[in-house]
Amino acid sequence: MNISDHIWNDNYKHCLFNLASIMKAKRILENGVREGYSTHSFLELVRITSGHVTSIDYSDKCEFMGRCPEDLKPYWTTIIKDAREGLKDLNKDRQIFDIIFLDDCHDYLHVKEEVELCENLMTYDSLLLIHDAMYYDYEPRYRKNQDYGKYGFADGGVYRVLQELDRTRWEFVTIPVPHGVSVLRKILV
């Protein structure tokens, strides 16, 4: 890992930890584990709040699953299946989360369905965080390219979902850390 990757990871992890800390989050849902940057940040927080992280990922081969520190494992449940199917199961169980973090497939239709499925897993005090609405740098430049499918952002990806949100039901802001973390909140109607 080069120094710019290290700085990027630290800024990204601190952003997620601080958002969850401000919320005093106890129940966190994460879609997409991979290297575990977000997972590790959330686990460190729920250790303090006596909370729990539930992660959904389509693969049990994610790097972090094999190297999660032993002292954090009691705070973590993994569900191995397609994120949308996992969200449907959690809806059936009427689960509610303080923070939901989406960072798996970034194709428009996938993210749109995830946002719709997350709505019933939230209260008006919950936050929905979505990664990758922006490019790599810190400038607030959204991924507006509608044909970015070869990189997993087909049909406008996260940016298009944000632009099509019903503004009478949702408000959002995107924090310009690398790739952006969009923070969504349901509006009390």
Side-chain angles (χ1 to χ4, degrees):
M1 175 185 301
N2 66 41
I3 191 68
S4 64
D5 288 340
H6 180 71
I7 291 168
W8 180 88
N9 289 332
D10 284 350
N11 290 339
Y12 171 66
K13 291 187 311 189
H14 288 142
C15 175
L16 296 177
F17 181 89
N18 289 335
L19 285 168
S21 179
I22 290 166
M23 295 287 298
K24 297 180 176 79
K26 290 187 176 224
R27 297 198 39 138
I28 298 174
L29 173 63
E30 168 194 50
N31 277 4
V33 175
R34 239 170 125 187
E35 289 93 1
Y37 300 128
S38 54
T39 312
H40 196 195
S41 297
F42 291 139
L43 286 170
E44 290 290 352
L45 186 274
V46 298
R47 176 171 41 187
I48 295 166
T49 64
S50 299
H52 198 82
V53 175
T54 301
S55 299
I56 303 172
D57 202 290
Y58 69 93
S59 173
D60 62 356
K61 305 283 190 272
C62 297
E63 290 178 36
F64 189 71
M65 289 181 187
R67 62 178 171 76
C68 177
E70 287 298 320
D71 61 323
L72 295 178
K73 287 182 179 180
Y75 302 98
W76 191 29
T77 300
T78 56
I79 299 169
I80 308 301
K81 61 172 47 179
D82 176 83
R84 294 164 299 177
E85 294 306 312
L87 290 170
K88 289 174 188 174
D89 291 347
L90 293 170
N91 268 291
K92 287 178 197 168
D93 294 340
R94 300 189 187 280
Q95 299 278 336
I96 297 293
F97 295 91
D98 301 315
I99 289 183
I100 301 173
F101 181 62
L102 304 181
D103 192 15
D104 55 327
C105 177
H106 296 84
D107 291 346
Y108 166 73
L109 290 176
H110 184 97
V111 177
K112 183 177 192 276
E113 185 177 355
E114 283 184 317
V115 170
E116 291 166 357
L117 289 166
C118 286
E119 191 167 0
N120 291 327
L121 301 173
M122 302 171 63
T123 69
Y124 291 102
D125 294 323
S126 303
L127 294 180
L128 174 58
L129 310 176
I130 307 177
H131 193 226
D132 292 317
M134 294 182 170
Y135 291 100
Y136 178 79
D137 56 17
Y138 288 89
E139 293 182 31
R141 297 182 312 122
Y142 285 96
R143 292 181 185 267
K144 295 180 182 179
N145 188 335
Q146 294 291 310
D147 188 27
Y148 216 59
K150 68 180 180 179
Y151 299 106
F153 294 85
D155 299 319
V158 175
Y159 172 77
R160 183 172 168 198
V161 171
L162 294 174
Q163 296 311 302
E164 292 180 1
L165 285 174
D166 179 345
R167 301 300 165 86
T168 65
R169 295 177 38 225
W170 292 96
E171 62 184 1
F172 79 93
V173 64
T174 302
I175 301 170
V177 294
H179 300 288
V181 173
S182 299
V183 181
L184 287 70
R185 188 177 75 88
K186 291 180 1 179
I187 296 173
L188 187 58
V189 289

